Amino acid sequence: MALHHRLSLWQKILLGIFCFPLLPIYVCVYCLCLKDEEKESERNEATVEHVERGLNQPTYVNASFRNRGFQYSEEQANQNRNKASDGQLENFKVISKGKGSNLSFSNRGFKEDEEDKSQQRSATSAGQKENVQIPSKDNWRVSFRNRVHKEDEVPVEPKKKKLEDKHITNYRYPWDRTSLKSLPIDLKAFEKLDAYAAKVTSNHTVDLLVKELLRYARTDLEKTRAIWIWISHHIEYDTEGLKNLSRVSCDPNDVLRTGRGVCAGYSSLFERMCSIAGVQCKSVSGYSKGAGYKTGQKFSGASTHAWNMVYLEESWHLLDSTWGAGTVSYNGPFTFGYNEFYFLTHPALFIGEHFPEYRKHQLLEPCILQDQFEKLVHCESHFYNMGLLSSLPDTCTVETVKGKVSFTLEGRQRLLFLFHLNKTETPGFMQLTEHGMKLDVYPQKTGEQILQIFAKREDSEGSYDWILDYKIICKSVDTNMKIPKCLHNPVGPSWLSEKAGLFQPSHQDPVIYTEDGCCTVSFALKGQLDVFATLESDEIKMTSDMKNRHIFQTQRKNNVEFRVRLPTSGTYVLCVNVKNPNADTYTSQCEYVIICTKRTVHWPKFPLTYGTWAKHYELLEPLDGILPENSNISFKLRVPDVTEVSVREGKNSFPLSLTDQGYWEGICHTGATQELTVTVCFKDKPNVYNFILQYQVGPKK
Ligand SMILES: *[C@@H]1O[C@H](CO)[C@@H](O)[C@H](O)[C@H]1NC(C)=O
Ligand SMILES: *[C@@H]1O[C@H](CO)[C@@H](O)[C@H](O)[C@H]1NC(C)=O
Ligand SMILES: *[C@@H]1O[C@H](CO)[C@@H](O)[C@H](O)[C@H]1NC(C)=O
Ligand SMILES: *[C@@H]1O[C@H](CO)[C@@H](O)[C@H](O)[C@H]1NC(C)=O
Ligand SMILES: *[C@@H]1O[C@H](CO)[C@@H](O)[C@H](O)[C@H]1NC(C)=O
Ligand SMILES: *[C@@H]1O[C@H](CO)[C@@H](O)[C@H](O)[C@H]1NC(C)=O
């Protein structure tokens, strides 16, 4: 075990152990210290590059949509890619690529598992667990240099290898959706242990800290958990150190003493603490889709991140204590923010963001190739933490087809979403589904753009969390599809509009195409709601008269119907506004896009309704608010509980008669006047005439 520590300590040593029949414990160590000046300069270069493309700008989602059923009050979802990763581990890579090859180490990494384990077991039985002495770098190099050369002469014993393969359990890929973890864990059962471990303070040595931490931990899982909780609550990411990695120590003692480290520091401390606790653990290095990752990018060169593998209940499991501890914002400080996701993450999910240098460390069957890793859509921990299960397409780069690209997200619960393209635009229609959403994006420019999607729980008051990115490649723009700026996503009916009381929508699709410029949208209302709809457009200047007078509302019992006649062809937004009887304001609860491309459409507005026009009144004809002069017009209305209905034109009055079906009907002659009104008399005041409708009279066309 002592040996094992040392390895992880420096992160600069490649260790190979082969066992050969000599003693009951066969250990042979090959080490190579890479602290050459040459490699050092390589490393610094890599570091600088990493920092430059490192910690991305956080994404601020500034949205303040009033009149929405839910408030997006200035929320900031600024956690984009703020997971730290660093360039500490390049040396592993350098070895296998450069020097290592001279020493015939090329495939060595592959065997690391068995080798480490046999070493650990040996070390443990040899009682070397305690009193680990860290040699100085120079000693280390000197003391192991010689053995490197020995190695060439020592053959690998195949028997031993087979024996240890038993301990590797590979997890199925793709993910079977049953659990986020690779072990069934009852987090409730850990509550006490977690609370205790988080509170342990230590200004002592690593050994004393572990002793303290293990006070209530019995099983290896509990021990690992206590260490995990402690590290993720006490070790700060060293954002300053990241700027100059040559100054950062990854020695567990230094990490503990300073309380800070880069990812290699976290993983070496984790490994060291596990080793003291008697839990098999190793550091793993590789590429990550963390800080600095650009959607769709390729990876090459040195490893940039480090994490751990622990051996629990007869198989290996993965964890990333750096990302479990918190996040880093652009040029800003590290913020503690415990993330359960990275503890014993299911390998099929872990691979989404972590690509180990050695395939074996994926713990997957089948393994993922680097090319696949690069193409995989990047789902962030929040994606899974929010109960989302899948995102289609599952590749991070997608091309538009006829100017459009569609996405589908599915999960286990209701979520609210936001999206934007290149951080500024929202050229698309997003409709909530029962446990996810559908999104159609119509980029308005050709070229590459980044689509970012954010989500939050239905009942959450807080901000939206960034959950994933896509890179959209748009070769041609669909110029027919103009997304109205006045449109607010989500669009169309959903559980959200149902929550507001709008049920049984006549149109499920948020986009309504109409040939003649007319359509009728209806809902069943739940409860005593007040509703009205408005029509908006970017293309023509809509006066407030136009916004309201091109929709005519009719309500029969709980069914509300909005008859729409577009003033001209074009693209419009129909907003259905809802108010509870005890609320003060209406909020827009369901929006549709109405598209009419035919050019000849020109509908007049509907007649004006006065305040006396009650919700349950019904107008069958005439619906045009502008009537031709000198014409006979037939009227038909349902106006219950009145004694008289008449149409008045100047001094003339045309009384309508009540039919057996309950309609007030009659013919009225429009003269040369400009206005025509409909009046009613209520039962309680039979001599008072009340205006309910007003028409304009214009020249015949
Ligand atoms: C978004 O909000 C942040 C912080 O309040 C502000 O700095 C930034 O300028 C805003 N961006 C836009 C596009 O309004
Ligand atoms: C390793 O081999 C390469 C070419 O194969 C050679 O250029 C380099 O000097 C060798 N390094 C050592 C340390 O032998
Ligand atoms: C640890 O800190 C406590 C108080 O913070 C102090 O009393 C104690 O001497 C410290 N122990 C060591 C070993 O530094
Ligand atoms: C990094 O730190 C080392 C040691 O303190 C120093 O010599 C070097 O100049 C620093 N490099 C940068 C880029 O700051
Ligand atoms: C979107 O942003 C990326 C990088 O920020 C840029 O390269 C690209 O040109 C932008 N796309 C458009 C269409 O503006
Ligand atoms: C209107 O109706 C009256 C009587 O029913 C008829 O005499 C008159 O010609 C009609 N006017 C028009 C313009 O149709």
Side-chain angles (χ1 to χ4, degrees):
M1 276 242 176
L3 209 57
H4 194 55
H5 293 321
R6 289 169 192 164
L7 288 176
S8 61
L9 274 186
W10 303 113
Q11 303 288 343
K12 289 169 183 173
I13 295 158
L14 181 69
L15 171 68
I17 299 164
F18 291 86
C19 303
F20 49 96
L22 191 74
L23 287 166
I25 300 156
Y26 317 111
V27 180
C28 180
V29 182
Y30 313 100
C31 277
L32 176 66
C33 182
L34 256 213
K35 184 114 179 78
D36 306 347
E37 295 318 308
E38 187 194 356
K39 297 303 171 202
E40 190 61 29
S41 69
E42 249 183 67
R43 206 185 67 157
N44 281 340
E45 270 169 42
T47 304
V48 171
E49 189 205 335
H50 178 73
V51 171
E52 278 175 353
R53 66 182 152 84
L55 310 169
N56 244 10
Q57 278 195 5
T59 303
Y60 293 99
V61 177
N62 301 348
S64 175
F65 302 143
R66 272 169 297 275
N67 290 336
R68 304 295 290 163
F70 48 97
Q71 300 288 318
Y72 297 102
S73 59
E74 285 292 313
E75 70 290 277
Q76 293 186 342
N78 65 337
Q79 56 297 303
N80 187 7
R81 303 247 153 82
N82 36 15
K83 284 170 301 195
S85 62
D86 57 55
Q88 270 303 93
L89 298 183
E90 291 91 299
N91 293 309
F92 278 116
K93 197 78 183 180
V94 172
I95 288 171
S96 58
K97 270 192 184 164
K99 234 174 190 175
S101 59
N102 299 23
L103 297 165
S104 60
F105 264 44
S106 35
N107 284 327
R108 191 56 43 75
F110 218 61
K111 289 177 191 125
E112 217 179 2
D113 272 342
E114 296 98 314
E115 289 155 8
D116 263 9
K117 273 180 63 189
S118 71
Q119 176 218 349
Q120 282 197 358
R121 241 175 277 119
S122 312
T124 309
S125 54
Q128 288 179 2
K129 212 160 79 177
E130 265 87 74
N131 304 321
V132 179
Q133 295 293 318
I134 315 297
S136 79
K137 287 179 189 181
D138 286 345
N139 287 348
W140 182 242
R141 194 198 307 186
V142 169
S143 55
F144 286 95
R145 262 274 154 92
N146 290 338
R147 302 195 194 182
V148 173
H149 299 288
K150 249 191 203 166
E151 180 244 343
D152 285 339
E153 296 139 34
V154 182
V156 182
E157 198 197 63
K159 261 191 196 166
K160 188 81 188 173
K161 186 172 174 286
K162 255 186 196 165
L163 188 76
E164 267 131 22
D165 267 347
K166 277 200 307 200
H167 298 283
I168 311 288
T169 307
N170 283 322
Y171 298 83
R172 267 196 300 134
Y173 184 83
W175 184 44
D176 64 7
R177 298 184 169 197
T178 51
S179 173
L180 299 181
K181 306 268 187 201
S182 51
L183 264 186
I185 294 177
D186 179 7
L187 290 176
K188 271 239 162 344
F190 279 135
E191 272 172 5
K192 263 190 181 162
L193 182 69
D194 288 357
Y196 168 76
K199 283 214 185 86
V200 170
T201 54
S202 174
N203 46 3
H204 315 285
T205 62
V206 181
D207 295 69
L208 288 171
L209 169 63
V210 173
K211 208 168 166 190
E212 194 71 13
L213 277 174
L214 297 192
R215 186 175 290 188
Y216 303 107
R218 285 172 310 279
T219 63
D220 280 0
L221 175 59
E222 285 168 356
K223 290 173 185 174
T224 307
R225 179 71 182 185
I227 293 167
W228 159 266
I229 289 290
W230 192 88
I231 290 184
S232 52
H233 285 81
H234 291 88
I235 303 299
E236 220 177 302
Y237 191 78
D238 190 351
T239 48
E240 281 306 305
L242 185 65
K243 293 173 186 160
N244 190 348
L245 286 173
S246 64
R247 282 199 306 217
V248 178
S249 168
C250 295
D251 181 321
N253 291 315
D254 293 338
V255 174
L256 183 64
R257 188 176 44 78
T258 58
R260 55 179 54 205
V262 292
C263 57
Y266 278 89
S267 70
S268 71
L269 179 60
F270 202 98
E271 186 179 352
R272 176 69 183 284
M273 287 171 82
C274 279
S275 138
I276 293 168
V279 177
Q280 293 181 57
C281 173
K282 61 208 272 39
S283 291
V284 180
S285 66
Y287 297 131
S288 74
K289 292 183 178 176
Y293 171 70
K294 296 223 179 353
T295 307
Q297 80 168 68
K298 304 251 180 247
F299 291 88
S300 63
S303 292
T304 52
H305 192 43
W307 54 94
N308 295 93
M309 276 168 74
V310 284
Y311 191 76
L312 299 170
E313 303 187 7
E314 307 196 335
S315 58
W316 286 98
H317 302 271
L318 296 163
L319 56 87
D320 184 340
S321 57
T322 315
W323 291 3
T327 52
V328 186
S329 56
Y330 177 64
N331 267 353
F334 167 81
T335 317
F336 276 111
Y338 176 71
N339 195 336
E340 176 65 43
F341 182 73
Y342 296 106
F343 180 67
L344 311 189
T345 317
H346 193 290
L349 302 181
F350 204 75
I351 194 70
E353 295 181 283
H354 298 77
F355 190 74
E357 214 168 325
Y358 302 115
R359 245 189 248 177
K360 192 163 210 170
H361 296 162
Q362 294 179 10
L363 309 181
L364 287 175
E365 185 71 48
C367 280
I368 298 289
L369 302 175
Q370 185 175 329
D371 179 50
Q372 287 173 293
F373 171 71
E374 287 163 350
K375 283 183 182 156
L376 217 55
V377 60
H378 178 206
C379 297
E380 217 274 346
S381 62
H382 294 298
F383 181 91
Y384 298 107
N385 283 340
M386 282 190 208
L388 283 164
L389 298 167
S390 70
S391 171
L392 288 175
D394 58 5
T395 54
C396 60
T397 304
V398 284
E399 278 185 31
T400 54
V401 177
K402 291 182 183 161
K404 169 188 172 183
V405 54
S406 301
F407 303 88
T408 309
L409 266 65
E410 246 184 64
R412 297 185 203 276
Q413 60 183 341
R414 290 176 171 180
L415 294 173
L416 296 169
F417 297 89
L418 287 180
F419 71 94
H420 54 59
L421 222 53
N422 262 21
K423 304 194 177 177
T424 49
E425 294 170 55
T426 55
F429 304 123
M430 188 258 289
Q431 188 175 21
L432 299 176
T433 55
E434 190 51 34
H435 291 140
M437 64 104 143
K438 289 188 299 191
L439 170 62
D440 290 340
V441 176
Y442 297 85
Q444 299 295 296
K445 294 175 206 154
T446 54
E448 286 182 9
Q449 301 187 69
I450 299 297
L451 169 72
Q452 291 188 302
I453 301 178
F454 303 80
K456 70 172 186 176
R457 292 205 162 85
E458 175 190 2
D459 48 6
S460 163
E461 293 290 320
S463 60
Y464 284 73
D465 285 321
W466 167 64
I467 53 165
L468 80 164
D469 278 5
Y470 282 100
K471 184 197 273 185
I472 297 181
I473 298 172
C474 175
K475 292 199 170 143
S476 68
V477 172
D478 180 354
T479 48
N480 288 328
M481 185 52 90
K482 298 184 193 83
I483 312 287
K485 288 195 176 60
C486 50
L487 181 74
H488 300 135
N489 279 294
V491 292
S494 66
W495 57 264
L496 195 61
S497 51
E498 282 189 2
K499 238 171 114 171
L502 303 174
F503 285 82
Q504 296 167 31
S506 56
H507 295 71
Q508 280 297 341
D509 201 286
V511 182
I512 300 171
Y513 290 91
T514 159
E515 273 281 303
D516 58 359
C518 297
C519 66
T520 301
V521 174
S522 67
F523 295 94
L525 300 179
K526 195 168 182 186
Q528 297 298 310
L529 297 177
D530 292 327
V531 292
F532 80 96
T534 52
L535 202 59
E536 300 191 30
S537 170
D538 293 344
E539 294 163 13
I540 59 166
K541 199 169 152 24
M542 300 281 284
T543 60
S544 71
D545 199 40
M546 284 166 86
K547 286 181 185 188
N548 299 304
R549 293 279 295 280
H550 284 273
I551 299 169
F552 199 87
Q553 177 174 345
T554 303
Q555 204 163 328
R556 296 183 197 87
K557 292 200 176 124
N558 276 332
N559 188 70
V560 66
E561 187 182 275
F562 302 103
R563 236 176 296 187
V564 177
R565 288 178 168 189
L566 300 179
T568 62
S569 58
T571 303
Y572 294 82
V573 176
L574 175 73
C575 297
V576 179
N577 306 291
V578 178
K579 180 176 95 69
N580 271 309
N582 45 5
D584 298 333
T585 53
Y586 284 88
T587 53
S588 165
Q589 294 293 358
C590 186
E591 295 186 13
Y592 285 98
V593 177
I594 302 177
I595 299 175
C596 174
T597 48
K598 213 169 138 187
R599 278 165 196 243
T600 52
V601 164
H602 186 82
W603 288 100
K605 56 193 179 184
F606 289 107
L608 177 72
T609 54
Y610 288 96
T612 40
W613 177 267
K615 269 201 299 203
H616 57 286
Y617 293 178
E618 215 180 305
L619 174 67
L620 287 95
E621 59 179 359
L623 283 168
D624 289 359
I626 300 168
L627 302 174
E629 58 189 7
N630 292 317
S631 311
N632 288 334
I633 308 287
S634 131
F635 278 79
K636 186 174 180 185
L637 304 89
R638 186 197 291 279
V639 187
D641 305 323
V642 293
T643 54
E644 190 190 316
V645 179
S646 28
V647 180
R648 291 166 190 276
E649 188 245 350
K651 287 177 193 148
N652 303 325
S653 170
F654 302 86
L656 304 182
S657 45
L658 188 60
T659 65
D660 294 344
Q661 288 78 37
Y663 293 107
W664 292 90
E665 293 185 24
I667 306 272
C668 155
H669 185 76
T670 57
T673 49
Q674 293 188 338
E675 201 179 277
L676 190 141
T677 53
V678 180
T679 59
V680 297
C681 297
F682 296 115
K683 278 177 182 161
D684 52 345
K685 286 182 182 167
N687 298 320
V688 179
Y689 295 95
N690 302 278
F691 293 102
I692 56 167
L693 290 173
Q694 186 204 80
Y695 292 85
Q696 278 163 262
V697 180
K700 245 186 206 166
K701 276 188 195 150

